[in-house]
Coordinates of all heavy atoms in Angstrom, one line a residue:
M12 N -8.2 -0.5 -13.7 CA -7.8 -1.5 -12.8 C -8.9 -1.8 -11.8 O -9.5 -0.8 -11.2 CB -6.5 -1.0 -12.1 CG -5.9 -1.9 -11.1 SD -4.4 -1.3 -10.5 CE -4.9 0.0 -9.4
R13 N -9.1 -3.0 -11.5 CA -10.2 -3.4 -10.5 C -9.8 -4.7 -9.8 O -9.5 -5.7 -10.5 CB -11.5 -3.5 -11.2 CG -12.6 -3.9 -10.2 CD -13.9 -4.0 -11.0 NE -14.4 -2.7 -11.4 CZ -15.2 -1.9 -10.7 NH1 -15.7 -2.3 -9.5 NH2 -15.6 -0.8 -11.1
A14 N -9.8 -4.7 -8.5 CA -9.6 -5.9 -7.7 C -10.9 -6.6 -7.4 O -11.8 -5.9 -7.0 CB -8.8 -5.6 -6.5
I15 N -10.9 -7.8 -7.5 CA -12.1 -8.6 -7.3 C -11.8 -9.7 -6.3 O -10.9 -10.5 -6.6 CB -12.7 -9.2 -8.6 CG1 -13.1 -8.0 -9.5 CG2 -13.9 -10.0 -8.3 CD1 -13.3 -8.4 -10.9
C16 N -12.5 -9.8 -5.2 CA -12.4 -10.9 -4.3 C -13.0 -12.2 -4.9 O -14.2 -12.1 -5.4 CB -13.1 -10.6 -3.0 SG -13.1 -12.1 -1.9
P17 N -12.3 -13.3 -5.0 CA -12.8 -14.5 -5.7 C -13.9 -15.1 -4.8 O -14.7 -15.9 -5.3 CB -11.6 -15.4 -5.8 CG -10.7 -15.0 -4.8 CD -10.9 -13.5 -4.6
N18 N -14.0 -14.8 -3.6 CA -15.0 -15.4 -2.7 C -16.4 -14.7 -2.7 O -17.4 -15.3 -2.6 CB -14.5 -15.4 -1.2 CG -13.5 -16.5 -1.0 OD1 -13.5 -17.5 -1.8 ND2 -12.7 -16.4 0.0
H19 N -16.3 -13.3 -2.8 CA -17.5 -12.6 -2.7 C -17.4 -11.2 -3.4 O -16.5 -10.5 -3.1 CB -17.9 -12.4 -1.3 CG -19.4 -12.2 -1.1 ND1 -20.1 -11.1 -1.6 CD2 -20.3 -13.0 -0.5 CE1 -21.4 -11.2 -1.3 NE2 -21.5 -12.3 -0.6
K20 N -18.3 -10.9 -4.3 CA -18.1 -9.7 -5.1 C -18.4 -8.4 -4.3 O -18.1 -7.3 -4.7 CB -19.0 -9.7 -6.4 CG -20.5 -9.8 -6.2 CD -21.1 -9.8 -7.5 CE -22.6 -9.5 -7.5 NZ -23.4 -10.5 -6.8
N21 N -19.0 -8.6 -3.1 CA -19.3 -7.5 -2.2 C -18.1 -7.1 -1.3 O -18.2 -6.1 -0.6 CB -20.5 -7.8 -1.3 CG -21.8 -7.8 -2.1 OD1 -21.9 -7.2 -3.2 ND2 -22.9 -8.4 -1.6
H22 N -17.1 -7.9 -1.4 CA -15.8 -7.5 -0.6 C -15.1 -6.5 -1.5 O -14.6 -6.8 -2.6 CB -15.0 -8.8 -0.4 CG -15.6 -9.7 0.6 ND1 -15.0 -11.0 0.8 CD2 -16.7 -9.7 1.3 CE1 -15.8 -11.6 1.7 NE2 -16.8 -10.8 2.0
K23 N -15.0 -5.3 -1.0 CA -14.4 -4.2 -1.8 C -13.3 -3.5 -1.1 O -12.9 -2.4 -1.5 CB -15.5 -3.2 -2.1 CG -16.6 -3.8 -3.1 CD -17.6 -2.7 -3.5 CE -18.6 -3.3 -4.4 NZ -18.0 -3.8 -5.7
R24 N -12.7 -4.1 0.0 CA -11.6 -3.5 0.6 C -10.4 -4.4 0.5 O -10.6 -5.6 0.8 CB -11.9 -3.1 2.1 CG -13.0 -2.0 2.2 CD -13.0 -1.4 3.5 NE -13.0 -2.5 4.6 CZ -12.6 -2.3 5.8 NH1 -12.2 -1.1 6.2 NH2 -12.7 -3.3 6.7
F25 N -9.2 -3.9 0.2 CA -8.1 -4.8 -0.1 C -6.9 -4.2 0.6 O -6.8 -3.0 0.8 CB -7.9 -5.0 -1.6 CG -9.1 -5.5 -2.3 CD1 -10.0 -4.7 -2.8 CD2 -9.2 -6.9 -2.4 CE1 -11.1 -5.2 -3.4 CE2 -10.3 -7.4 -3.0 CZ -11.3 -6.6 -3.5
V26 N -5.9 -5.0 0.9 CA -4.6 -4.6 1.4 C -3.6 -4.8 0.3 O -3.5 -5.9 -0.3 CB -4.1 -5.4 2.6 CG1 -2.7 -5.0 3.1 CG2 -5.1 -5.3 3.7
T27 N -2.8 -3.7 -0.1 CA -1.8 -3.9 -1.1 C -0.7 -2.9 -0.7 O -0.8 -2.1 0.2 CB -2.3 -3.6 -2.5 OG1 -1.3 -4.0 -3.4 CG2 -2.7 -2.2 -2.7
V28 N 0.4 -3.0 -1.4 CA 1.6 -2.2 -1.1 C 1.6 -0.9 -1.9 O 1.4 -1.0 -3.1 CB 2.9 -3.0 -1.4 CG1 4.2 -2.2 -1.2 CG2 3.0 -4.3 -0.5
V29 N 1.9 0.2 -1.2 CA 2.2 1.4 -2.0 C 3.6 1.9 -1.5 O 4.1 1.6 -0.4 CB 1.1 2.5 -1.7 CG1 -0.2 2.0 -2.3 CG2 1.0 2.9 -0.3
Q30 N 4.2 2.7 -2.4 CA 5.5 3.3 -2.0 C 5.3 4.8 -1.8 O 4.7 5.5 -2.6 CB 6.5 3.2 -3.1 CG 7.0 1.8 -3.3 CD 8.1 1.7 -4.3 OE1 7.9 2.0 -5.4 NE2 9.3 1.3 -3.8
I31 N 5.7 5.3 -0.6 CA 5.6 6.7 -0.2 C 6.9 7.2 0.1 O 7.9 6.5 0.4 CB 4.6 6.9 0.9 CG1 5.1 6.2 2.2 CG2 3.2 6.5 0.6 CD1 4.3 6.6 3.4
T32 N 7.1 8.6 0.1 CA 8.3 9.2 0.6 C 8.1 9.9 1.9 O 7.1 10.6 2.1 CB 8.7 10.3 -0.5 OG1 8.8 9.7 -1.7 CG2 10.0 11.0 -0.1
Q33 N 9.0 9.6 2.9 CA 8.9 10.2 4.2 C 10.2 11.0 4.4 O 11.2 10.7 3.9 CB 8.9 9.1 5.3 CG 7.6 8.4 5.4 CD 7.6 7.4 6.6 OE1 8.7 6.9 6.9 NE2 6.5 7.1 7.1
E34 N 10.0 12.1 5.2 CA 11.2 12.7 5.8 C 11.4 12.3 7.2 O 10.4 12.2 8.0 CB 11.0 14.3 5.7 CG 11.4 14.9 4.4 CD 11.4 16.4 4.4 OE1 11.0 17.0 5.4 OE2 11.7 17.0 3.4
W35 N 12.6 11.9 7.5 CA 13.0 11.5 8.8 C 13.8 12.5 9.5 O 14.6 13.2 8.9 CB 13.8 10.2 8.8 CG 13.1 8.9 8.4 CD1 11.7 8.8 8.1 CD2 13.6 7.6 8.4 NE1 11.5 7.5 7.8 CE2 12.6 6.8 8.0 CE3 14.9 7.1 8.6 CZ2 12.8 5.4 7.8 CZ3 15.1 5.7 8.5 CH2 14.0 4.9 8.1
I36 N 13.7 12.5 10.9 CA 14.7 13.2 11.7 C 15.7 12.1 12.1 O 15.3 11.0 12.5 CB 14.1 13.8 13.0 CG1 13.1 14.9 12.5 CG2 15.2 14.3 13.9 CD1 12.3 15.5 13.6
V37 N 17.0 12.3 11.8 CA 18.1 11.3 12.1 C 19.1 12.0 12.9 O 19.2 13.2 13.1 CB 18.7 10.8 10.7 CG1 17.6 10.2 9.9 CG2 19.3 12.0 10.0
D38 N 20.0 11.1 13.5 CA 21.1 11.6 14.2 C 22.3 11.8 13.3 O 22.1 11.7 12.1 CB 21.5 10.7 15.4 CG 22.0 9.3 15.0 OD1 22.3 9.1 13.7 OD2 22.1 8.4 15.8
E39 N 23.5 12.1 13.8 CA 24.6 12.5 13.0 C 25.1 11.4 12.1 O 25.8 11.7 11.2 CB 25.7 13.1 13.9 CG 26.5 12.1 14.7 CD 25.9 11.8 16.0 OE1 24.7 12.0 16.2 OE2 26.6 11.3 16.9
I40 N 24.8 10.2 12.4 CA 25.3 9.1 11.5 C 24.1 8.5 10.7 O 24.3 7.5 10.1 CB 26.0 8.0 12.3 CG1 25.1 7.3 13.3 CG2 27.3 8.5 12.9 CD1 25.6 6.0 13.9
G41 N 23.0 9.2 10.7 CA 21.9 8.8 9.9 C 20.9 7.8 10.5 O 20.1 7.3 9.7
D42 N 21.1 7.5 11.8 CA 20.2 6.6 12.4 C 18.8 7.2 12.6 O 18.7 8.4 13.0 CB 20.7 6.0 13.7 CG 21.7 4.9 13.5 OD1 21.7 4.3 12.4 OD2 22.4 4.5 14.5
F43 N 17.8 6.5 12.4 CA 16.4 7.0 12.5 C 16.1 7.4 13.9 O 16.4 6.7 14.9 CB 15.4 5.9 12.1 CG 14.0 6.2 12.3 CD1 13.3 7.0 11.4 CD2 13.3 5.7 13.4 CE1 12.0 7.3 11.5 CE2 12.0 6.0 13.6 CZ 11.3 6.8 12.7
I44 N 15.5 8.6 14.0 CA 15.0 9.1 15.3 C 13.4 9.1 15.3 O 12.8 8.5 16.1 CB 15.5 10.5 15.7 CG1 17.1 10.4 15.9 CG2 14.9 11.0 17.0 CD1 17.8 11.7 16.1
E45 N 12.9 9.9 14.3 CA 11.5 9.9 14.2 C 11.1 10.4 12.8 O 11.9 11.0 12.1 CB 10.8 10.8 15.3 CG 11.2 12.2 15.2 CD 10.4 13.0 16.3 OE1 9.2 13.3 16.1 OE2 11.0 13.4 17.3
V46 N 9.8 10.2 12.5 CA 9.3 10.6 11.2 C 9.0 12.1 11.3 O 8.3 12.5 12.2 CB 8.1 9.8 10.7 CG1 7.5 10.4 9.5 CG2 8.4 8.4 10.6
S47 N 9.6 12.9 10.4 CA 9.3 14.3 10.4 C 8.0 14.7 9.6 O 7.2 15.4 10.1 CB 10.5 15.1 9.7 OG 10.2 16.4 9.6
H48 N 7.9 14.1 8.4 CA 6.6 14.3 7.7 C 6.1 12.9 7.3 O 6.9 12.2 6.7 CB 6.9 15.2 6.5 CG 7.1 16.6 6.8 ND1 8.4 17.1 6.9 CD2 6.3 17.6 7.1 CE1 8.3 18.4 7.2 NE2 7.1 18.7 7.4
E49 N 4.9 12.7 7.6 CA 4.4 11.3 7.4 C 4.4 10.8 6.0 O 4.9 9.8 5.7 CB 3.0 11.2 8.0 CG 2.5 9.8 8.3 CD 3.4 9.1 9.2 OE1 3.7 9.6 10.3 OE2 3.9 8.0 8.9
C50 N 3.9 11.7 5.1 CA 3.8 11.2 3.7 C 3.9 12.5 2.8 O 3.0 13.2 2.7 CB 2.5 10.5 3.4 SG 2.3 10.0 1.7
L51 N 5.1 12.7 2.3 CA 5.3 13.8 1.4 C 4.7 13.7 0.1 O 4.1 14.5 -0.5 CB 6.8 14.1 1.2 CG 7.6 14.6 2.5 CD1 9.0 14.7 2.2 CD2 7.0 15.9 3.0
E52 N 4.9 12.5 -0.5 CA 4.3 12.2 -1.8 C 4.1 10.7 -1.9 O 4.8 9.9 -1.3 CB 5.2 12.7 -2.9 CG 6.5 12.1 -2.9 CD 7.4 12.5 -4.2 OE1 6.8 12.5 -5.3 OE2 8.5 12.7 -4.0
T53 N 3.2 10.3 -2.7 CA 3.0 8.9 -3.1 C 3.8 8.7 -4.3 O 3.6 9.2 -5.4 CB 1.5 8.6 -3.3 OG1 0.8 9.0 -2.1 CG2 1.4 7.1 -3.6
K54 N 4.9 7.9 -4.2 CA 5.7 7.6 -5.3 C 5.0 6.6 -6.3 O 5.0 6.9 -7.5 CB 7.1 6.9 -4.9 CG 8.0 7.9 -4.2 CD 9.4 7.2 -3.9 CE 10.2 7.2 -5.1 NZ 10.8 8.5 -5.5
H55 N 4.5 5.6 -5.7 CA 3.7 4.7 -6.6 C 2.5 4.3 -5.8 O 2.5 3.7 -4.7 CB 4.5 3.4 -6.9 CG 5.7 3.7 -7.8 ND1 5.6 4.2 -9.0 CD2 7.0 3.6 -7.5 CE1 6.8 4.3 -9.5 NE2 7.7 4.0 -8.6
G56 N 1.3 4.5 -6.4 CA 0.1 4.1 -5.8 C -0.1 2.6 -6.0 O 0.8 1.9 -6.4
P57 N -1.3 2.1 -5.7 CA -1.5 0.7 -5.9 C -1.3 0.2 -7.3 O -1.6 0.9 -8.3 CB -3.0 0.5 -5.5 CG -3.3 1.7 -4.6 CD -2.4 2.8 -5.1
R58 N -0.7 -0.9 -7.5 CA -0.4 -1.5 -8.8 C -1.0 -2.8 -8.9 O -1.0 -3.6 -8.0 CB 1.1 -1.6 -9.0 CG 1.8 -0.3 -9.1 CD 3.3 -0.4 -9.3 NE 3.9 0.8 -9.8 CZ 5.2 1.0 -10.0 NH1 6.0 0.0 -9.7 NH2 5.6 2.1 -10.5
E59 N -1.4 -3.1 -10.2 CA -2.1 -4.4 -10.4 C -1.2 -5.6 -10.3 O -1.6 -6.7 -10.0 CB -2.8 -4.4 -11.8 CG -1.9 -4.3 -13.0 CD -1.6 -2.9 -13.4 OE1 -1.8 -1.9 -12.6 OE2 -1.2 -2.7 -14.5
R60 N 0.1 -5.4 -10.5 CA 1.0 -6.5 -10.4 C 1.4 -6.9 -8.9 O 2.0 -7.9 -8.7 CB 2.3 -6.3 -11.2 CG 3.2 -5.2 -10.8 CD 4.3 -5.1 -11.8 NE 5.0 -3.8 -11.8 CZ 6.0 -3.5 -11.0 NH1 6.5 -4.4 -10.2 NH2 6.5 -2.3 -11.0
N61 N 1.1 -6.0 -8.0 CA 1.4 -6.4 -6.6 C 0.2 -7.2 -6.1 O -0.8 -7.3 -6.7 CB 1.4 -5.1 -5.7 CG 2.7 -4.3 -6.0 OD1 3.7 -4.9 -6.4 ND2 2.7 -3.0 -5.7
T62 N 0.5 -7.9 -5.0 CA -0.6 -8.7 -4.4 C -1.6 -7.8 -3.7 O -1.3 -6.9 -3.0 CB 0.1 -9.7 -3.3 OG1 1.0 -10.5 -4.0 CG2 -1.0 -10.6 -2.7
W63 N -2.9 -8.1 -4.0 CA -4.0 -7.5 -3.3 C -4.7 -8.6 -2.5 O -5.1 -9.6 -3.0 CB -5.0 -6.9 -4.3 CG -4.5 -5.7 -5.1 CD1 -3.3 -5.7 -5.7 CD2 -5.1 -4.5 -5.3 NE1 -3.1 -4.5 -6.4 CE2 -4.3 -3.7 -6.1 CE3 -6.3 -4.0 -4.9 CZ2 -4.6 -2.4 -6.6 CZ3 -6.7 -2.7 -5.4 CH2 -5.8 -1.9 -6.2
T64 N -4.8 -8.3 -1.2 CA -5.5 -9.3 -0.3 C -6.8 -8.7 0.2 O -6.8 -7.6 0.7 CB -4.5 -9.6 0.9 OG1 -3.3 -10.1 0.4 CG2 -5.2 -10.7 1.8
C65 N -7.8 -9.5 0.1 CA -9.1 -9.0 0.6 C -9.1 -8.8 2.1 O -8.7 -9.6 2.9 CB -10.2 -10.1 0.2 SG -11.8 -9.6 0.8
C66 N -9.6 -7.6 2.5 CA -9.6 -7.2 3.9 C -10.7 -8.1 4.7 O -10.6 -8.2 5.9 CB -10.0 -5.8 4.1 SG -8.6 -4.7 4.1
E67 N -11.7 -8.5 4.0 CA -12.8 -9.1 4.6 C -12.6 -10.6 4.9 O -12.9 -11.1 6.0 CB -14.1 -9.0 3.8 CG -14.3 -7.7 3.1 CD -14.6 -6.5 4.1 OE1 -15.0 -6.9 5.2 OE2 -14.4 -5.4 3.7
C68 N -12.0 -11.3 4.0 CA -11.8 -12.8 4.1 C -10.3 -13.2 4.0 O -10.1 -14.4 4.1 CB -12.7 -13.5 3.1 SG -12.3 -13.3 1.4
G69 N -9.4 -12.3 3.6 CA -8.0 -12.7 3.6 C -7.6 -13.4 2.3 O -6.4 -13.9 2.2
T70 N -8.4 -13.5 1.3 CA -8.1 -14.2 0.1 C -7.4 -13.3 -0.8 O -7.7 -12.1 -0.9 CB -9.4 -14.8 -0.6 OG1 -10.1 -15.6 0.4 CG2 -9.1 -15.6 -1.8
E71 N -6.4 -13.9 -1.6 CA -5.8 -13.0 -2.6 C -6.7 -12.7 -3.7 O -7.4 -13.6 -4.3 CB -4.5 -13.8 -3.1 CG -3.7 -12.9 -4.1 CD -2.4 -13.5 -4.5 OE1 -1.9 -14.3 -3.7 OE2 -1.9 -13.2 -5.6
A72 N -6.8 -11.4 -4.0 CA -7.8 -10.9 -5.0 C -7.3 -11.2 -6.4 O -6.1 -11.3 -6.7 CB -8.1 -9.5 -4.8
V73 N -8.2 -11.2 -7.3 CA -7.9 -11.1 -8.8 C -7.9 -9.7 -9.2 O -8.9 -9.0 -9.0 CB -8.9 -12.0 -9.6 CG1 -8.6 -11.9 -11.0 CG2 -8.9 -13.4 -9.1
V74 N -6.8 -9.2 -9.8 CA -6.8 -7.8 -10.2 C -6.8 -7.8 -11.7 O -6.0 -8.3 -12.4 CB -5.5 -7.1 -9.7 CG1 -5.5 -5.6 -10.1 CG2 -5.4 -7.2 -8.2
Q75 N -7.8 -7.1 -12.2 CA -7.9 -6.9 -13.7 C -7.4 -5.6 -14.1 O -7.6 -4.6 -13.4 CB -9.4 -7.0 -14.1 CG -10.0 -8.4 -13.7 CD -11.5 -8.4 -14.0 OE1 -12.2 -7.4 -14.0 NE2 -12.0 -9.6 -14.2
E76 N -6.7 -5.5 -15.2 CA -6.2 -4.2 -15.7 C -7.3 -3.4 -16.4 O -8.3 -3.9 -16.8 CB -5.1 -4.4 -16.7 CG -3.8 -5.0 -16.0 CD -2.6 -5.0 -16.9 OE1 -2.4 -4.0 -17.6 OE2 -2.0 -6.1 -16.9
Ligands
LIG119 ZN1 -13.0 -11.5 0.3

């Protein structure tokens, strides 16, 4: 998998969505108070079918499998 900025091949930083698991401290009805552990595990890392946006110029990247 490789993301490529269509504007410039030297742009190598991208924003995309990942899914992580957090532990929260909650009250008695389950309302959020604070994050107990920031990131216990990464459920799904970056995926090619999600949108990748170039950090440098904001253009949507082309992701090759
Ligand atoms: Zn770019």
Side-chain angles (χ1 to χ4, degrees):
M12 182 174 72
R13 177 181 292 269
I15 299 165
C16 175
N18 283 339
H19 206 294
K20 65 180 193 295
N21 286 341
H22 292 173
K23 293 185 180 295
R24 297 195 308 158
F25 303 91
V26 177
T27 190
V28 174
V29 297
Q30 287 187 297
I31 61 169
T32 302
Q33 286 183 334
E34 274 187 357
W35 286 5
I36 297 170
V37 298
D38 66 11
E39 74 274 19
I40 61 168
D42 277 347
F43 174 81
I44 297 173
E45 63 179 283
V46 175
S47 173
H48 291 97
E49 198 57 52
C50 180
L51 291 178
E52 61 173 317
T53 303
K54 289 186 78 74
H55 295 295
R58 289 179 161 176
E59 65 271 18
R60 64 184 159 87
N61 289 334
T62 300
W63 293 48
T64 304
C65 178
C66 272
E67 317 294 339
C68 66
T70 303
E71 186 172 331
V73 177
V74 183
Q75 299 175 335
E76 290 189 49

